[in-house]
């Protein structure tokens, strides 16, 4: 829903004597318009249209028209304000910005109007907005190019883009597009951080066997039925050889400080990236994986490092290779290849869920004394690509939503955890198991989940990076 439609419009600074401030306010006043019906409503809209058409430049305020175009409660007023902005103030950056915002209005004819005037007036800023709707003109003008237009919007957008560029030739359009976005691409290239590839392994492109290889529930009653056996294909990428360590995370804290340059747009207000267990001597040695971070912390770190959080498919391939193995090292469990509940607690008599729960409730803020191993430990348990501790030690955060399997797209800013903890959009996938987990959770295919704001001493993360430069088109 674009703009803030709760405010009532004021009056412009220059108003014709025949209109008067009170009358103009009444003419555009939101509550009075929304209360009208039938002929009365149509008459009011006609009055507004006539006033906007007859008003002199002194009668109109750029600021007020812009506010109406993106924020008025009535869509016809927004539509007419867009037309007036284009007719009277199109040279002003504020007017062009409002028109571009109106391109994404949730009412079709407001958006269509903005698209039409953007093309007619060749508004440069509008091109990026319209390409998001219709795609690149150099593509859709190719002979026999397949696309899925849906009604008037696609037609208006296509016409507006062709009007802007002044060509229908695909090759010429490609050159014009490149020229138009050259400055923006240069800015993006300058701002792009080089990926931190100091300690990564390469996962080659190609297919791999994904999903669970067992169907029985087992004594620990862990359900693997949500990850069916299948084949997935991925492009090449790099992944951190180890989980992000406290030492590396400290570099991030030092570099970023209070800046929100790398924050997710939905990040909670006043977010502090300092891990919850930063001062706990059991978890804060520099060689240990950082824990006590939430999804927003991990997201910001990954952006700062020039990478991103892995999807669960990227994580799974890096952990198991292409042959569908159960653990990173093979199909047979081995206590000396991973940190799990047996090794963290020094117990080997945990045989089922009841045993596990009885042990876990004895955990305290001081015991076990050394629950987590160094991030580069267990070399014999390495994955086929050389990644370490992808089974056990700490769960690892991914960018995948547990329920939809799409990338996380949270929208909870300004709300408390209690307000969204029952929403599917709030849960990301965890992979790999942790120091409190039995071997079944340490398999390469077991899917855990966590609320995106939770900060546990059992959860860390690692990053992935493109193996080749990403093309812009």
């Amino acid at each position: 829903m674009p703009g803030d439609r709760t405010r009532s419009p004021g009056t412009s600074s220059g108003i014709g004597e025949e209109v008067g401030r009170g009358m103009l306010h009444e003419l555009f006043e939101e509550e009075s318009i929304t209360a009208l019906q039938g002929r009365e409503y149509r008459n009011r809209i006609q009055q507004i249209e006539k006033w906007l058409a007859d008003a002199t430049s002194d009668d109109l305020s750029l600021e007020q028209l812009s506010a109406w175009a993106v924020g008025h409660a009535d869509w016809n007023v927004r539509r007419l304000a867009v037309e007036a902005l284009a007719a009277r103030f199109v040279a002003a950056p504020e007017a062009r910005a409002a028109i571009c915002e109106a391109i994404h209005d949730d009412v079709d004819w407001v958006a269509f109007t903005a698209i039409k005037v953007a093309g007619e007036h060749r508004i440069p800023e509008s091109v990026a907005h319209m390409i998001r709707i219709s795609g690149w003109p150099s593509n859709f003008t190719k002979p026999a190019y397949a696309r899925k237009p849906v009604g008037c919007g696609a037609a208006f957008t296509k016409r507006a883009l062709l009007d802007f560029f002044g060509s229908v030739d695909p090759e010429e359009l490609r050159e014009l597009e490149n020229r138009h976005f050259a400055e923006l691409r240069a800015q993006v290239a300058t701002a792009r951080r080089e990926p931190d590839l100091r300690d990564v392994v390469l996962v080659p492109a190609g297919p791999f066997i994904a999903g669970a290889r067992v169907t029985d529930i087992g004594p620990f009653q862990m359900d693997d039925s949500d990850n069916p056996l299948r084949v997935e294909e991925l492009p090449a990428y790099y992944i951190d050889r180890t989980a992000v360590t406290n030492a590396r995370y400290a570099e991030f804290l030092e570099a970023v400080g209070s800046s929100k340059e790398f924050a997710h747009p939905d990040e909670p207000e006043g977010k502090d990236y300092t891990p919850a267990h930063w001062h706990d001597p059991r978890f804060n040695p520099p060689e240990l994986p950082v824990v006590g971070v939430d999804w927003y912390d991990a997201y910001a770190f990954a952006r700062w490092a020039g990478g991103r959080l892995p999807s669960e498919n990227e994580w799974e391939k890096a952990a198991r290779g292409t042959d569908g193995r159960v653990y990173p090292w093979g199909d047979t469990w081995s206590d000396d290849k991973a940190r799990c509940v047996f090794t963290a607690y020094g117990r080997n008599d945990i045989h089922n869920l009841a045993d596990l729960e009885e042990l876990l409730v004895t955990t305290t803020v001081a015991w076990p004394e050394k629950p987590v191993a160094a991030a580069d430990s267990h070399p014999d348990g390495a994955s086929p690509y050389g990644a370490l501790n992808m089974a056990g030690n700490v769960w690892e955060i991914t960018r995948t939503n547990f329920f939809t399997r799409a990338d996380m797209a949270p929208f909870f800013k300004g709300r408390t955890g209690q307000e969204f903890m029952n929403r599917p959009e709030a849960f990301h996938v965890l992979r790999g198991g942790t120091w409190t987990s039995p071997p079944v959770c340490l398999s390469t295919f077991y899917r855990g989940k966590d609320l995106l704001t939770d900060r546990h001493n059992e959860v860390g993360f690692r990053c992935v990076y493109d193996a080749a430069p990403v093309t812009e088109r």
Side-chain angles (χ1 to χ4, degrees), residues 368-381:
E369 293 181 3
K370 295 182 178 181
V372 181
D376 63 354
S377 61
H378 302 105
D380 291 341

Side-chain angles (χ1 to χ4, degrees), residues 164-184:
F164 178 87
F165 286 112
S167 175
V168 293
D169 178 77
E171 297 303 319
E172 183 180 9
L173 281 167
R174 175 58 64 90
E175 175 60 31
L176 292 170
E177 291 162 1
N178 288 339
R179 195 181 308 163
H180 179 77
F181 287 104
E183 182 177 350
L184 177 60

